[in-house]
Amino acid sequence: MHAPVFAALGHPARLALVARLSGGEPSSISRLTAGSRMTRQAVTKHLRVLEGAGIVRSKHAGREKLFEYDAAPIAGLRDYLDRVSAQWDRTLARLKSFVEE
Amino acid sequence: MHAPVFAALGHPARLALVARLSGGEPSSISRLTAGSRMTRQAVTKHLRVLEGAGIVRSKHAGREKLFEYDAAPIAGLRDYLDRVSAQWDRTLARLKSFVEE
DNA sequence: CTAATATGCAACCAGGAGGTTGCGGAAATG
DNA sequence: CATTTCCGCAACCTCCTGGTTGCATATTAG
């Protein structure tokens, strides 16, 4: 269920894009390309991957395409990782009590 | 920094392996293969990816190779996602106060 | 209108991901 | 010792990823 979102975050360039968009206003493609060592097309492809995972939405504004952050998928990831950690804590407790028997 | 860990979780088969290993005892490759619709070699490859990301450790026990969960990388991911969410919350608050001015 | 800017689309490419099969070796079983 | 079980290595295949380049289109600026 969550694998596509994880995969979308599994690239440093996309992680950097998420960091920028989650900490600022919606931004256009060329603005996101400036300061990156990639081509505009490469940035576009990464943004499409992020949009496919729902992490980012896009809207048109004149000749620009603005991308903005959507917090929901990453919130879902946090919940999932919390559940994994909680399950692991229970596993540890169970193994410990088993050793102590 | 965290991108390789995200990438390692970006495949349903590996997510399922993590779920199994975080909720039970260390398990061997053939045990993890049973109940999966994959070949043993495919499972081995996925386990290697997880081990490369540090999510899983392996130790030999006779002719078996046991894999066990390591909680540290996923805990690091949780912290990272918490920071992203907190940054987003601050961004929202800042935009809201800007609109209200 | 012309020029500059922002984007999209398509082709192309190298390399890696995911998966299978076949074979060989080490360890437990009988 | 013979057999089964568990595993590693290597070759091979297909498809996707990440990236570039070139060209076409829409929008804004002068």
Side-chain angles (χ1 to χ4, degrees), chain B residues 6-71:
Chain B
F6 280 120
L9 297 178
H11 192 288
R14 289 195 289 268
L15 226 42
L17 286 172
V18 168
R20 270 183 78 167
L21 288 176
S22 68
E25 311 172 16
S27 186
S28 74
I29 298 180
S30 13
R31 192 126 38 94
L32 291 169
T33 303
S36 166
R37 281 170 299 281
M38 273 180 299
T39 313
R40 171 181 58 89
Q41 289 300 329
V43 175
T44 300
K45 287 193 180 183
H46 285 303
L47 287 171
R48 278 209 244 268
V49 173
L50 289 174
E51 192 173 18
I55 302 173
V56 139
R57 278 189 308 266
S58 68
K59 58 182 179 185
H60 288 273
R63 74 179 155 185
E64 293 188 321
K65 187 172 187 180
L66 298 182
F67 282 85
E68 61 186 354
Y69 180 71
D70 186 335

Side-chain angles (χ1 to χ4, degrees), chain B residues 62-95:
Chain B
R63 74 179 155 185
E64 293 188 321
K65 187 172 187 180
L66 298 182
F67 282 85
E68 61 186 354
Y69 180 71
D70 186 335
I74 284 190
L77 246 52
R78 277 205 300 163
D79 292 350
Y80 178 76
L81 293 184
D82 283 348
R83 285 199 299 274
V84 170
S85 297
Q87 186 186 27
W88 175 241
D89 290 344
R90 284 194 299 274
T91 299
L92 272 190
R94 209 181 54 222
L95 292 179

